[in-house]
Amino acid sequence: MQSAEPAISLVGLEKTFGATRAVNHLDLNVEAGEFFSMLGPSGSGKTTVLRLIAGFETPTAGQIKIFGTDVTKAAPFDRDVNTVFQDYALFPHMTVQENVEYGLRVRGVHKSERAKAALEALQMVQLEALAQRKPNQLSGGQRQRVALARAIVLKPKVLLLDEPLGALDLKLREQMQVELKALQRSLGITFVFVTHDQEEALSLSDRVAVFNNGAIEQVGTPRELYENPTSPFVAGFVGTSNIFNAEEAGKYFGQAASVSVRPERLSFTPSVSGEHVLDVTVKEVIYVGVASRVICTLDGREITVLHRAEDSTLPSRGQALKVYVSSSDLVQLGAR
């Protein structure tokens, strides 16, 4: 049952480092039981916000509440949250089980109780058979699972994850994404996940906040962000998009404001009447498996068309073609 209080509530949150404003008057609610991601490029403020929630940084202004309790000035150990870092931060001299038990030991939990709790947490991440190994005897993915087990054994109300999959190779990263989402569903606790990888954020999250220059550009479900971006930044950062400024939008589409159109919405063959037609020249064709990305030039600028493998013959470099765009696939963007 979802709590009436947001898991996390940030009101007017600001953080400056000297003359640099890392977080700029930010308001945000994260709901209980939600898998929430903070997505943005390096320096956008997302990690600083995570550190403010965790208590590792003190806000310059604003308020932080966790399930209705004001923790703005509380120490990290007085907040009902736990953090998983990219570098795992495991103790190399301890076994896997001892690493997972460590937080319980600090809290003074009896040896038998903490051993039981640690093994239960390791079972959740499918590592109970490796409880007596040392971290250097584990793979990167296994060490990441140990770090997760060490965090969840304390049963926090909120789990903060600071780019925890960033050090893994692509295949292992994809596998851990599936496991992480399944773990969050089984635990039912709030996950707040920081990443610069838009595909990772879209595949894992219930909702995503897109950060830029210390502020949130847009918050929404993965589908909302992809299909209805509200700014040029979101359209360009979340997936690939062809963005036309107001002048270009007026010239090509008769629109009064800047617009975005996704590459898969463009076609080299007409499908409905009333489509807009662009005269382009093929600059490059990039094969990506189920489709090819066709980079075209249009009056000196580039646009990208996603050309599916089952479609007609693949275009060739230098070829002059027509690209068809339906008005319904044009998304109007705000001024930001």
Side-chain angles (χ1 to χ4, degrees):
M1 184 175 176
Q2 185 165 303
S3 169
E5 293 279 2
I8 297 170
S9 182
L10 309 178
V11 181
L13 195 65
E14 296 186 7
K15 180 63 180 178
T16 58
F17 296 98
T20 303
R21 188 179 294 274
V23 180
N24 187 14
H25 200 79
L26 187 144
D27 296 318
L28 176 67
N29 283 341
V30 178
E31 301 304 326
E34 190 172 30
F35 197 124
F36 189 92
S37 288
M38 297 193 290
L39 171 69
S42 297
S44 61
K46 60 190 187 300
T47 297
T48 301
V49 171
L50 193 83
R51 292 179 61 81
L52 288 166
I53 296 169
F56 302 142
E57 299 284 355
T58 302
T60 306
Q63 186 181 52
I64 302 168
K65 289 184 178 182
I66 297 177
F67 285 96
T69 301
D70 188 340
V71 297
T72 310
K73 297 181 180 179
F77 50 81
D78 286 331
R79 305 180 185 210
D80 205 352
V81 303
N82 214 332
T83 308
V84 178
F85 300 99
Q86 182 177 334
D87 62 3
Y88 316 139
L90 302 177
F91 297 111
H93 63 287
M94 293 183 181
T95 65
V96 166
Q97 182 173 333
E98 288 168 341
N99 266 282
V100 177
E101 287 185 22
Y102 181 76
L104 296 173
R105 191 173 76 182
V106 170
R107 291 186 177 183
V109 176
H110 188 272
K111 184 176 181 180
S112 60
E113 289 181 33
R114 68 176 187 251
K116 180 183 177 184
L119 288 173
E120 287 175 353
L122 286 170
Q123 192 171 17
M124 288 182 191
V125 296
Q126 302 173 22
L127 282 182
E128 66 273 20
L130 305 182
Q132 299 311 310
R133 290 194 183 181
K134 296 287 181 66
N136 64 2
Q137 296 174 299
L138 304 178
S139 69
Q142 289 168 336
R143 288 196 294 273
Q144 182 60 77
R145 289 195 193 110
V146 176
L148 282 168
R150 186 178 57 184
I152 63 178
V153 76
L154 297 172
K155 298 182 179 179
K157 289 183 177 178
V158 177
L159 188 61
L160 308 175
L161 302 106
D162 187 9
E163 304 212 36
L165 311 182
L168 305 180
D169 63 55
L170 179 60
K171 283 292 183 185
L172 188 52
R173 189 171 183 149
E174 290 174 348
Q175 177 188 337
M176 283 300 299
Q177 288 172 9
V178 174
E179 293 180 5
L180 195 60
K181 183 61 180 174
L183 180 64
Q184 190 267 338
R185 282 177 176 155
S186 67
L187 292 171
I189 65 176
T190 307
F191 276 29
V192 179
F193 187 88
V194 163
T195 182
H196 63 271
D197 186 321
Q198 53 91 14
E199 185 176 330
E200 190 166 81
L202 295 184
S203 63
L204 284 171
S205 313
D206 297 314
R207 287 192 304 147
V208 180
V210 181
F211 279 69
N212 184 32
N213 292 328
I216 293 176
E217 290 264 344
Q218 186 176 350
V219 180
T221 66
R223 173 167 287 192
E224 287 169 347
L225 294 178
Y226 189 82
E227 295 187 358
N228 295 292
T230 57
S231 72
F233 178 82
V234 175
F237 192 77
V238 180
T240 302
S241 194
N242 299 294
I243 300 171
F244 298 84
N245 62 32
E247 182 181 347
E248 293 169 330
K251 176 181 177 181
Y252 298 123
F253 312 118
Q255 300 278 339
S258 60
V259 298
S260 164
V261 59
R262 297 294 183 183
E264 65 271 20
R265 300 296 187 180
L266 302 178
S267 175
F268 294 117
T269 55
S271 58
V272 297
S273 59
E275 289 178 311
H276 304 284
V277 183
L278 307 176
D279 291 305
V280 303
T281 302
V282 177
K283 179 180 179 181
E284 191 60 76
V285 179
I286 303 168
Y287 178 72
V288 290
V290 296
S292 293
R293 283 192 291 126
V294 184
I295 314 299
C296 303
T297 57
L298 170 68
D299 295 337
R301 61 157 292 165
E302 292 185 358
I303 64 170
T304 301
V305 182
L306 194 68
H307 188 72
R308 299 199 174 276
E310 66 267 18
D311 290 345
S312 57
T313 307
L314 198 64
S316 56
R317 281 181 291 175
Q319 186 176 1
L321 291 170
K322 293 186 183 298
V323 168
Y324 297 88
V325 188
S326 173
S327 294
S328 62
D329 291 325
L330 298 172
V331 178
Q332 285 205 351
L333 304 173
R336 288 183 66 184

